[in-house]
Structures are given as structure tokens and as C-alpha cells.
Amino acid sequence: MARAVRALRGAAGPGLERGPGAGPRVRFGPSPTGFLHLGGLRTALYNYIFAKKHRGTFILRVEDTDQNRVVPGAAEGIEDMLDWAGISPDESPRRGGSFGPYQQSLRLDLYRRASEVLLERGAAYRCFCTAQRLQLLRKEALRSQQTPRYDNRCRHLSPAEVAEKLSQGLPWVVRFRLEMGVEPFQDLVYGWSKHEVAEVEGDPVILKGDGFPTYHLANVVDDHSMGISHVLRGAEWLTSTSKHLLLYKAFGWDPPQFGHLPLLLNKDGAKLSKRQGDIFLERFAQEGYLPEALLDIITNCGSGFTEKQMGRTLEELISQFEIDRITTHSALLDLEKLPEFNRIHLTRHIENEGLRQKLIRDLQVLVEHVYGDQQVDQEVLEKEYVEQVLLLRKGHISLLKTLVSSDYSYLWVRPSVTREQLQSLSAEVDEIGKLVLGLMTRQTAALTVEELNKELKSLQKQTRETKYSTMMKLLRLALSGQQHGPSVAEMMVTLGPKEVSGRIHKALSG
Ligand code: GLU
């Protein structure tokens, strides 16, 4: 017995040698069964924040023990999305680390040895029950309206009976002997908790016939051998924790501290819907949402922070986080507010010199993508022009891609308007042109839409016979080639004096 225990310790890695004072080690343990969704992101985020707050280590561990549910590529996708969200793990399948491998399917030897330790100690036993017998048990339980549970029959096999069955080559699994007398534990969020699991469950399988562990064994063995100090996970695991603690006890290991995060629900209290892919990170990324907006909204609807304002950066989330502030109330997520969160973060990005550079590049790519086949004039792709558009529209748009929607097409496609077209609206084309050009040169600082409206009204008074509405029609045509769209003043503000003057000159000479 001692040999197997030592072997397991040896495999436990340097985590066990962590000296006092070293930061906490936390992990996010998703099963790679699909895309990362907002619920998973939130669990990962709280772990990340906790680690960074206390100078600890954030680990990504892929829990792929249920091979039937594994989706190829999902594990990579999850790590990609953590990187995209800006909460990259310190140790992971991709990055490695001293406690790897970080994928449970590559750690089967460790679980096998762990189950041997439990078998040697009599804390686990081999179960030879056939699938038919188990199914029969289920049916009988359902018929008598009871929750199906294993009847622990193989617990009572004598060593001779076990040896006999093994010599016959009968298939077996390992079950953990659930003992009564669970000790309560203090959850960091839910306080004192305890679930007398043996009262409601049969002995659970911990190692399957194919040599794969089940979740409970793999989770406990890995949390121990990876030196995990704090387990922060969804509240749906709260009732499993007593079972995990029985496993820790059977191994003779000190358990980590547990903190269960209250559920993340829709704003009406229903389960977050994964249908139509509406909460997957990939979708938000594709639609152009900023990762900070997602981090902000999923923490804003929950607890754990000293403040609750919108627009918090990841650094602010870390500094405002206090684990004692997490309450047991479910977090109700109102995704209709997401555009507003994004507007605030987009504004912050535009205002930040460094972050703005990336937005400029992204917008250039969008413009080329959307308007490329309309032979976009290279000048509208120039950095200065794109940057000015961003600065002038900041605060007005929630998503960057709005700037390439049809309302804003005038920004990127310069109109080809003839003088005759303008003259058909008013005979005073030249006068109006001159007045506007004059205004554009006088305009030293950028005017607001309201100020410009006033200026345009006073220009109209200087014409002889052109009505205000006609002058607006004429300017709209000269500036955008269109008859509808945003107000003329807004277009002029967004285009800026240089571009407005250029377009008016072109229209007058066209
Ligand atoms: N693999 C489990 C999940 O997908 C992890 C649970 C835990 O963190 O212990 O939720």
C-alpha cells in the first residue's frame, strides 16, 4: 500500500513543495464538449481574478474523461477564447507547466495508481455487476418510484470471490465506498455545508472498464497533484463536494478550500440558453463585441466586487474583487444591455492612443471588406482619415461594424455627383458652395452637430432664394450622393472639414 501511495506522491509534481507564502493555485476545468459560453467564461474569470489578486497561478485543465462527449477541437477552442478574452492561463495544455499534462486523458496512469491505492486500503472495491443487472436495478427503482442507485452488492464480495472472478477474466470497474458520517466543510461562499451522500447514492464508479476515471476521481487526484489550493467552481458542484472530501480523506490528503459560485441565469431567472449558439464566445467575437464588455457584463450582474459601475477594465475588476463579497444570490444576466457595455468600452478604446491603433486597422479591414468592390478611394483608407472618423463617432456607436453599415456608407464611398444634378435643385449652387467652403476654413476647432446646425441656418439666410430644406437636400447630395441618411450636420461633423471641402469642390466642378 505504502508503495502505491508514494508513487502517487512522486507524480504529484513540485506543487507539494510549495513553500508557505506562495500564491494560490486555482484551475478552470472545462469539459471539451463544445464552445466556451458565458457561464464557463465567468467561472474562468473569477478564478483568474482570484489568482491575479493574490499573485497566484491560473491553470487550465481540460477534463476530457468522458470520451463519448468530447468534441474534436473544442479544447483548443476554449483556450483560444480565454486568450481572446484576455484571461490566458499560466499553465495549460498549450503552454505546459511543471504539473502537466493538463489534459486528463493523458493522465490515465495517475488515476489507475490512485484507484489501486484505494483498493489496497479497502476504500474502493472492484465491481463485476453487468450492464444488464444495473439496468434491472434502475427499472425496479423507477417502478417503485425511487431514485435509481447502485445497491453496493459487490462491496460484500470476499477476496476469494474477487480472485475467482478475476481469474475468469470478467470485466470490472472500481467503485468508491461511500461512508456515512460526512464532516461539514466551510464553503467560501455558501458557508458550512454537508451532504450525507451515502444516504442518497450508491457507491460511485471511479474507474471505468476502459481505464478512464470518472469525473470525481480525476478531479480530486488532479486538484491534489497539481497543488490546487482553492477550487472555485459553479454551485452545481456543491453537492458533489462532500463526496470529494470523502475521497480526500481516503487518500489521506488535505483538501483545498472550496468556493462555489452562484448560478448565472437569464434575467427572467431561467437557465442560460445555449440554443442558437446565443451565449457562445465565438458568436460575440464574430459580431465584434469587445472582450472587456463581456467580462464587465458577466461580473456586473453578480457579486464579489466593491463597486458596480459599468465600464470596468480587467485591472479594475482585479483590484475591486473581494471573495467575501460573493453572495449566494444567482446572477441575472440581461444581454440586452450588452451593446451599452460595448459602447462604453469601445469609447475607452478609441480614447486610448495604443488601443485606437488596433481599431484603426480593424476598421480599415472592415471597409475594404464591405466596400472594396465599390472601388473605394484609397484616401478614405488612410490612417488619419479612419482615425478621425473614430474620434468623431466615439460615444455614438456600440459596435465598430456600425461604421460600415449603409447609414455610414457616405464615409467610405465618395459620391460622383454632377453639377447639373445640383443645379436642378437650386440655381444658387455656386453661392451655397462658397458659403460652406468659407465655413469650413473658418472652422478652427471641430464643431458639434448642434453648433453646425446653427451655422447652416445662418448660411441659408445669406442665400437669395434657396429654402433651408432645399439647401440641405443639395448638400446631402453633394456630400453623400444620396437622398436619405443621417442629418447633414452629422455627416459634416463626421467627415471633417477637409473631406467636406474636397467633396464640395468635386461636385461643383463635376
Ligand atoms: N469538468 C467540470 C465542468 O465541466 C469541472 C467541475 C469542477 O470545476 O470541479 O464543469
Side-chain angles (χ1 to χ4, degrees):
M1 170 173 95
R3 197 160 35 83
V5 176
R6 262 201 309 278
L8 195 60
R9 285 224 180 101
L16 295 179
E17 293 143 34
R18 280 180 312 118
R25 289 176 58 82
V26 293
R27 84 314 190 265
F28 172 49
S31 299
T33 54
F35 295 117
L36 183 62
H37 57 76
L38 290 179
L41 178 69
R42 190 183 67 130
T43 305
L45 177 62
Y46 275 88
N47 276 283
Y48 178 91
I49 290 176
F50 183 75
K52 298 302 151 186
K53 176 113 199 165
H54 303 288
R55 297 179 199 288
T57 308
F58 172 54
I59 294 147
L60 169 65
R61 179 175 75 218
V62 172
E63 303 209 335
D64 56 350
T65 55
D66 189 350
Q67 291 285 300
N68 297 326
R69 295 182 59 226
V70 167
V71 171
E76 293 76 9
I78 291 171
E79 193 162 357
D80 284 345
M81 283 297 112
L82 292 182
D83 288 342
W84 175 78
I87 55 169
S88 298
D90 303 301
E91 298 171 20
S92 71
R94 192 175 290 164
R95 287 169 175 81
S98 354
F99 296 79
Y102 293 89
Q103 212 172 321
Q104 291 186 326
S105 57
L106 302 177
R107 300 168 66 83
L108 299 187
D109 204 36
L110 197 62
Y111 312 127
R112 187 185 47 75
R113 281 187 281 146
S115 68
E116 278 163 16
V117 169
L118 296 181
L119 284 172
E120 284 177 40
R121 290 182 176 180
Y125 58 89
R126 288 188 177 81
C127 168
F128 298 89
C129 289
T130 60
Q132 289 95 306
R133 173 163 197 275
L134 297 176
Q135 210 176 351
L136 213 67
L137 278 181
R138 265 185 73 79
K139 271 194 192 151
E140 273 169 22
L142 292 175
R143 195 174 318 133
S144 52
Q145 287 176 344
Q146 282 178 345
T147 319
R149 57 189 277 187
Y150 178 58
D151 60 358
N152 299 350
R153 184 201 223 183
C154 291
R155 240 192 205 211
H156 312 291
L157 292 177
S158 69
E161 283 169 320
V162 171
E164 166 67 19
K165 287 181 188 292
L166 286 177
S167 72
Q168 287 171 18
L170 293 180
W172 50 271
V173 299
V174 179
R175 285 188 188 266
F176 178 59
R177 192 185 274 269
L178 287 182
E179 300 293 358
M180 287 294 288
V182 161
E183 281 166 29
F185 69 99
Q186 194 163 28
D187 188 84
L188 291 167
V189 176
Y190 284 78
W192 287 104
S193 306
K194 165 181 139 143
H195 294 91
E196 199 62 85
V197 267
E199 254 175 25
V200 286
E201 288 182 39
D203 291 338
V205 174
I206 53 172
L207 197 75
K208 295 180 276 186
D210 59 3
F212 273 78
T214 56
Y215 158 72
H216 303 292
L217 178 71
N219 202 264
V220 165
V221 167
D222 285 347
D223 283 344
H224 172 73
S225 65
M226 292 181 171
I228 299 302
S229 59
H230 296 76
V231 169
L232 304 180
R233 62 183 169 196
E236 65 272 28
W237 300 105
L238 185 61
T239 50
S240 297
T241 305
S242 287
K243 198 187 296 176
H244 296 174
L245 287 169
L246 286 175
L247 278 162
Y248 279 100
K249 196 168 161 197
F251 281 118
W253 295 334
D254 285 336
Q257 276 198 275
F258 292 92
H260 289 85
L261 304 168
L263 298 178
L264 180 65
L265 302 171
N266 282 331
K267 74 166 183 226
D268 60 1
K271 207 169 163 237
L272 268 196
S273 144
K274 289 185 214 167
R275 271 171 297 137
Q276 298 142 4
D278 51 0
I279 55 161
F280 294 127
L281 260 67
E282 263 88 352
R283 192 209 110 192
F284 294 111
Q286 262 163 19
E287 288 194 1
Y289 285 100
L290 292 167
E292 289 98 328
L294 294 179
L295 302 184
D296 198 9
I297 194 169
I298 58 174
T299 47
N300 223 283
C301 64
S303 51
F305 300 88
T306 52
E307 277 156 64
K308 216 172 178 172
Q309 83 281 14
M310 289 166 100
R312 293 171 302 178
T313 61
L314 185 53
E315 287 71 38
E316 285 164 341
L317 287 176
I318 295 169
S319 73
Q320 295 171 9
F321 179 71
E322 282 173 14
I323 196 159
D324 307 345
R325 286 183 181 258
I326 304 182
T327 68
T328 57
H329 297 296
S330 305
L332 302 184
L333 179 67
D334 183 359
L335 274 180
E336 277 167 28
K337 291 192 184 143
L338 183 58
E340 179 57 7
F341 275 88
N342 209 66
R343 189 186 67 78
I344 295 170
H345 284 277
L346 187 58
T347 304
R348 190 172 53 73
H349 277 229
I350 295 173
E351 283 169 351
N352 177 295
E353 175 81 44
L355 297 172
R356 186 160 71 234
Q357 303 313 310
K358 174 160 187 314
L359 290 178
I360 294 173
R361 286 194 299 279
D362 289 351
L363 186 50
Q364 285 167 326
V365 171
L366 278 174
V367 172
E368 276 198 288
H369 180 70
V370 177
Y371 294 106
D373 56 354
Q374 298 181 36
Q375 291 184 332
V376 159
D377 195 327
Q378 285 304 305
E379 268 185 44
V380 300
L381 288 173
E382 274 170 18
K383 181 176 171 276
E384 289 66 33
Y385 179 73
V386 175
E387 182 164 31
Q388 175 204 278
V389 168
L390 281 172
L391 287 167
L392 291 171
R393 279 291 85 192
K394 121 190 145 192
H396 296 276
I397 48 163
S398 297
L399 286 169
L400 192 65
K401 72 174 180 190
T402 306
L403 289 175
V404 292
S405 65
S406 56
D407 267 3
Y408 284 106
S409 65
Y410 70 89
L411 287 170
W412 317 111
V413 184
R414 285 174 163 164
S416 46
V417 186
T418 61
R419 201 185 159 77
E420 286 76 59
Q421 276 177 288
L422 298 178
Q423 263 168 342
S424 71
L425 291 170
S426 162
E428 290 183 283
V429 171
D430 288 310
E431 289 81 345
I432 294 171
K434 223 176 270 162
L435 287 169
V436 175
L437 287 172
L439 173 64
M440 291 296 109
T441 48
R442 279 203 311 280
Q443 189 184 317
T444 44
L447 295 178
T448 64
V449 172
E450 293 71 40
E451 288 162 346
L452 199 56
N453 266 327
K454 272 196 209 129
E455 295 282 350
L456 289 172
K457 288 219 167 86
S458 82
L459 289 193
Q460 183 267 332
K461 297 210 173 84
Q462 297 171 48
T463 65
R464 273 174 290 118
E465 51 176 40
T466 310
K467 284 196 299 194
Y468 184 71
S469 60
T470 309
M471 185 171 120
M472 290 303 111
K473 244 189 216 171
L474 189 145
L475 286 176
R476 177 186 298 283
L477 192 62
L479 293 173
S480 70
Q482 288 166 8
Q483 289 173 4
H484 306 283
S487 79
V488 170
E490 184 190 312
M491 278 201 283
M492 288 173 81
V493 164
T494 316
L495 287 166
K498 188 171 153 233
E499 183 68 19
V500 169
S501 307
R503 291 187 184 194
I504 300 228
H505 269 302
K506 193 168 160 248
L508 289 179
S509 57

Coordinates of all heavy atoms in Angstrom, one line a residue, residues 330-374:
S330 N -28.3 34.2 -7.2 CA -28.0 34.0 -8.6 C -27.7 35.3 -9.3 O -28.3 36.3 -8.9 CB -29.1 33.3 -9.3 OG -29.5 32.1 -8.6
A331 N -26.8 35.2 -10.3 CA -26.5 36.4 -11.1 C -27.5 36.4 -12.3 O -27.5 35.4 -13.0 CB -25.1 36.4 -11.5
L332 N -28.3 37.5 -12.5 CA -29.2 37.5 -13.6 C -28.6 38.4 -14.7 O -28.4 39.6 -14.5 CB -30.6 38.1 -13.1 CG -31.2 37.3 -12.0 CD1 -32.6 37.9 -11.6 CD2 -31.4 35.8 -12.3
L333 N -28.4 37.7 -15.8 CA -27.8 38.4 -16.9 C -28.8 39.0 -17.9 O -29.6 38.3 -18.4 CB -26.9 37.3 -17.7 CG -26.1 37.8 -18.9 CD1 -25.0 38.7 -18.4 CD2 -25.5 36.6 -19.6
D334 N -28.6 40.3 -18.2 CA -29.5 40.9 -19.1 C -28.7 41.3 -20.4 O -28.0 42.3 -20.4 CB -30.1 42.2 -18.5 CG -31.1 42.9 -19.4 OD1 -31.3 42.4 -20.6 OD2 -31.7 43.9 -19.0
L335 N -28.8 40.4 -21.4 CA -27.9 40.6 -22.5 C -28.3 41.8 -23.4 O -27.6 42.2 -24.3 CB -27.9 39.3 -23.4 CG -26.8 38.3 -23.0 CD1 -26.9 37.1 -23.9 CD2 -25.4 38.9 -23.0
E336 N -29.6 42.3 -23.1 CA -30.0 43.5 -23.9 C -29.1 44.7 -23.6 O -29.0 45.6 -24.3 CB -31.4 43.8 -23.6 CG -32.4 42.9 -24.5 CD -33.8 43.0 -24.0 OE1 -34.2 44.1 -23.4 OE2 -34.5 42.0 -24.2
K337 N -28.4 44.6 -22.4 CA -27.6 45.7 -22.0 C -26.2 45.6 -22.7 O -25.4 46.5 -22.5 CB -27.4 45.7 -20.5 CG -28.7 46.1 -19.8 CD -28.4 46.4 -18.3 CE -29.6 46.7 -17.5 NZ -29.5 46.1 -16.2
L338 N -25.9 44.5 -23.3 CA -24.6 44.3 -23.8 C -24.1 45.4 -24.8 O -23.0 45.9 -24.7 CB -24.4 42.9 -24.5 CG -23.0 42.6 -25.0 CD1 -22.0 42.6 -23.9 CD2 -23.0 41.2 -25.6
P339 N -24.9 45.9 -25.7 CA -24.5 46.9 -26.6 C -24.0 48.2 -25.8 O -23.0 48.8 -26.2 CB -25.7 47.2 -27.5 CG -26.5 46.0 -27.5 CD -26.3 45.4 -26.2
E340 N -24.7 48.5 -24.8 CA -24.4 49.7 -24.0 C -23.0 49.4 -23.3 O -22.2 50.3 -23.3 CB -25.5 50.0 -22.9 CG -25.2 51.1 -22.0 CD -24.9 52.4 -22.8 OE1 -25.1 52.5 -24.0 OE2 -24.6 53.4 -22.1
F341 N -22.8 48.2 -22.8 CA -21.5 47.9 -22.2 C -20.4 48.1 -23.3 O -19.3 48.6 -23.0 CB -21.5 46.5 -21.7 CG -22.0 46.3 -20.3 CD1 -23.4 46.1 -20.0 CD2 -21.1 46.4 -19.2 CE1 -23.9 46.0 -18.7 CE2 -21.6 46.3 -17.9 CZ -23.0 46.1 -17.6
N342 N -20.7 47.6 -24.5 CA -19.7 47.6 -25.5 C -19.5 49.1 -25.9 O -18.3 49.4 -26.2 CB -20.2 46.8 -26.7 CG -19.0 46.3 -27.5 OD1 -18.2 45.4 -27.0 ND2 -18.8 46.8 -28.7
R343 N -20.5 49.9 -26.0 CA -20.3 51.3 -26.4 C -19.3 52.0 -25.4 O -18.4 52.7 -25.8 CB -21.7 52.0 -26.3 CG -21.6 53.4 -26.9 CD -23.0 54.2 -26.7 NE -23.3 54.4 -25.3 CZ -22.7 55.4 -24.6 NH1 -21.9 56.2 -25.1 NH2 -23.0 55.5 -23.3
I344 N -19.5 51.7 -24.1 CA -18.6 52.3 -23.1 C -17.2 51.9 -23.3 O -16.2 52.7 -23.3 CB -19.1 52.0 -21.7 CG1 -20.5 52.6 -21.5 CG2 -18.1 52.4 -20.6 CD1 -21.2 52.2 -20.2
H345 N -17.0 50.5 -23.5 CA -15.6 50.0 -23.7 C -15.0 50.5 -25.1 O -13.8 50.7 -25.1 CB -15.6 48.5 -23.5 CG -15.7 48.1 -22.1 ND1 -14.6 48.1 -21.2 CD2 -16.8 47.8 -21.3 CE1 -15.1 47.7 -20.0 NE2 -16.4 47.5 -20.1
L346 N -15.9 50.5 -26.1 CA -15.4 51.0 -27.4 C -14.9 52.4 -27.3 O -13.8 52.8 -27.8 CB -16.5 50.9 -28.4 CG -16.1 51.1 -29.9 CD1 -15.0 50.2 -30.3 CD2 -17.4 50.9 -30.8
T347 N -15.7 53.3 -26.6 CA -15.3 54.7 -26.4 C -13.9 54.7 -25.7 O -13.0 55.5 -26.1 CB -16.3 55.4 -25.5 OG1 -17.6 55.3 -26.2 CG2 -16.0 56.9 -25.3
R348 N -13.7 53.9 -24.7 CA -12.5 53.8 -23.9 C -11.3 53.4 -24.9 O -10.2 54.0 -24.8 CB -12.6 52.9 -22.8 CG -11.5 52.9 -21.8 CD -11.8 52.0 -20.6 NE -12.2 50.7 -20.9 CZ -11.3 49.8 -21.3 NH1 -10.0 50.0 -21.5 NH2 -11.7 48.5 -21.6
H349 N -11.6 52.4 -25.7 CA -10.5 52.0 -26.7 C -10.2 53.1 -27.6 O -9.0 53.3 -28.0 CB -11.0 50.8 -27.5 CG -10.8 49.5 -26.7 ND1 -10.2 48.4 -27.3 CD2 -11.1 49.1 -25.5 CE1 -10.2 47.4 -26.4 NE2 -10.7 47.8 -25.3
I350 N -11.2 53.8 -28.1 CA -10.9 54.9 -29.1 C -10.1 56.0 -28.4 O -9.2 56.6 -29.0 CB -12.2 55.5 -29.7 CG1 -13.0 54.4 -30.5 CG2 -12.0 56.7 -30.5 CD1 -14.4 54.8 -31.0
E351 N -10.4 56.3 -27.1 CA -9.7 57.4 -26.5 C -8.3 57.0 -26.1 O -7.4 57.9 -25.9 CB -10.5 57.7 -25.2 CG -11.7 58.6 -25.5 CD -12.6 58.8 -24.3 OE1 -12.4 58.1 -23.3 OE2 -13.5 59.5 -24.4
N352 N -8.0 55.7 -26.1 CA -6.6 55.3 -25.7 C -5.8 55.1 -27.0 O -6.1 54.4 -27.9 CB -6.7 53.9 -25.0 CG -5.4 53.4 -24.6 OD1 -4.6 53.0 -25.5 ND2 -5.2 53.2 -23.3
E353 N -4.7 56.0 -27.0 CA -3.8 56.0 -28.2 C -3.4 54.6 -28.7 O -3.6 54.3 -29.9 CB -2.6 56.8 -27.7 CG -1.5 56.9 -28.7 CD -1.8 58.0 -29.8 OE1 -2.2 59.1 -29.4 OE2 -1.5 57.7 -31.0
G354 N -3.0 53.8 -27.8 CA -2.5 52.5 -28.1 C -3.6 51.6 -28.7 O -3.5 51.0 -29.7
L355 N -4.7 51.5 -27.9 CA -5.8 50.6 -28.3 C -6.4 51.1 -29.6 O -7.0 50.3 -30.4 CB -6.9 50.6 -27.2 CG -6.4 50.0 -25.9 CD1 -7.5 50.1 -24.8 CD2 -6.1 48.5 -26.0
R356 N -6.4 52.4 -29.8 CA -7.0 53.0 -31.0 C -6.3 52.5 -32.3 O -7.0 52.3 -33.3 CB -6.9 54.5 -30.9 CG -7.6 55.2 -32.1 CD -7.9 56.7 -31.7 NE -6.7 57.5 -31.7 CZ -6.3 58.3 -30.7 NH1 -7.0 58.3 -29.6 NH2 -5.2 59.0 -30.8
Q357 N -5.0 52.2 -32.2 CA -4.3 51.8 -33.4 C -4.9 50.5 -33.9 O -5.0 50.3 -35.1 CB -2.8 51.6 -33.1 CG -2.1 52.8 -32.6 CD -2.5 54.1 -33.4 OE1 -2.4 54.1 -34.6 NE2 -2.9 55.1 -32.7
K358 N -5.3 49.6 -33.0 CA -5.9 48.3 -33.4 C -7.2 48.5 -34.1 O -7.6 47.9 -35.1 CB -6.0 47.3 -32.3 CG -6.7 46.1 -32.7 CD -6.4 44.9 -31.8 CE -7.0 43.6 -32.3 NZ -8.4 43.7 -32.8
L359 N -8.0 49.4 -33.5 CA -9.3 49.7 -34.0 C -9.2 50.3 -35.4 O -10.0 50.0 -36.3 CB -10.1 50.7 -33.1 CG -10.5 50.2 -31.8 CD1 -11.2 51.3 -31.0 CD2 -11.5 49.0 -31.9
I360 N -8.2 51.1 -35.6 CA -8.0 51.7 -37.0 C -7.7 50.6 -38.0 O -8.4 50.6 -39.0 CB -6.8 52.7 -36.9 CG1 -7.1 53.9 -36.1 CG2 -6.4 53.1 -38.4 CD1 -6.0 54.9 -35.8
R361 N -6.9 49.7 -37.6 CA -6.6 48.6 -38.5 C -7.8 47.7 -38.8 O -8.1 47.4 -39.9 CB -5.5 47.7 -38.0 CG -4.1 48.3 -38.1 CD -3.0 47.3 -37.8 NE -3.0 46.8 -36.5 CZ -2.5 47.3 -35.4 NH1 -1.9 48.5 -35.5 NH2 -2.6 46.8 -34.2
D362 N -8.6 47.5 -37.7 CA -9.8 46.7 -37.8 C -10.8 47.3 -38.7 O -11.5 46.7 -39.6 CB -10.5 46.4 -36.5 CG -9.7 45.5 -35.6 OD1 -8.7 44.9 -36.1 OD2 -10.0 45.4 -34.4
L363 N -10.9 48.7 -38.6 CA -11.9 49.4 -39.4 C -11.5 49.4 -40.8 O -12.3 49.3 -41.8 CB -12.1 50.8 -38.8 CG -13.2 51.7 -39.4 CD1 -14.5 50.9 -39.5 CD2 -13.4 53.0 -38.6
Q364 N -10.1 49.6 -41.1 CA -9.7 49.6 -42.5 C -10.0 48.2 -43.1 O -10.5 48.2 -44.3 CB -8.1 49.8 -42.5 CG -7.7 51.2 -42.2 CD -6.2 51.4 -41.9 OE1 -5.6 50.5 -41.3 NE2 -5.6 52.5 -42.3
V365 N -9.8 47.2 -42.4 CA -10.1 45.8 -42.9 C -11.6 45.7 -43.2 O -12.1 45.2 -44.3 CB -9.7 44.7 -41.9 CG1 -10.2 43.4 -42.4 CG2 -8.2 44.7 -41.8
L366 N -12.5 46.2 -42.3 CA -13.9 46.2 -42.5 C -14.3 46.9 -43.7 O -15.1 46.5 -44.5 CB -14.6 46.7 -41.3 CG -14.8 45.8 -40.0 CD1 -15.4 46.6 -38.9 CD2 -15.8 44.7 -40.4
V367 N -13.7 48.1 -43.9 CA -14.1 49.0 -45.0 C -13.8 48.3 -46.3 O -14.6 48.2 -47.2 CB -13.4 50.4 -44.9 CG1 -13.7 51.2 -46.2 CG2 -13.9 51.1 -43.7
E368 N -12.6 47.7 -46.3 CA -12.2 47.1 -47.6 C -13.1 45.9 -47.9 O -13.4 45.6 -49.0 CB -10.7 46.6 -47.5 CG -9.8 47.7 -47.8 CD -8.4 47.2 -48.1 OE1 -7.7 46.8 -47.2 OE2 -8.0 47.3 -49.3
H369 N -13.4 45.2 -46.8 CA -14.3 44.0 -46.9 C -15.7 44.4 -47.5 O -16.2 43.8 -48.4 CB -14.3 43.3 -45.6 CG -15.2 42.1 -45.6 ND1 -14.7 40.9 -46.2 CD2 -16.4 41.8 -45.1 CE1 -15.7 40.0 -46.1 NE2 -16.7 40.5 -45.4
V370 N -16.2 45.4 -46.9 CA -17.6 45.8 -47.2 C -17.7 46.6 -48.5 O -18.6 46.4 -49.3 CB -18.3 46.5 -46.0 CG1 -19.7 46.9 -46.4 CG2 -18.3 45.6 -44.8
Y371 N -16.8 47.5 -48.7 CA -16.9 48.5 -49.8 C -15.8 48.3 -50.9 O -15.8 49.0 -51.8 CB -16.9 49.9 -49.3 CG -18.1 50.2 -48.4 CD1 -17.9 50.3 -47.0 CD2 -19.3 50.4 -49.0 CE1 -19.1 50.6 -46.2 CE2 -20.4 50.7 -48.2 CZ -20.3 50.8 -46.8 OH -21.4 51.0 -46.1
G372 N -15.0 47.2 -50.7 CA -13.9 47.0 -51.6 C -14.3 47.0 -53.0 O -13.7 47.5 -53.9
D373 N -15.4 46.3 -53.3 CA -15.8 46.2 -54.7 C -16.5 47.4 -55.3 O -16.8 47.5 -56.4 CB -16.7 44.9 -54.9 CG -18.0 45.0 -54.0 OD1 -18.0 46.0 -53.2 OD2 -18.8 44.1 -54.1
Q374 N -16.6 48.4 -54.4 CA -17.1 49.7 -55.0 C -16.0 50.7 -55.2 O -16.2 51.9 -55.2 CB -18.1 50.3 -54.0 CG -19.3 49.4 -53.8 CD -20.3 50.0 -52.8 OE1 -20.6 51.2 -52.8 NE2 -21.0 49.2 -52.0

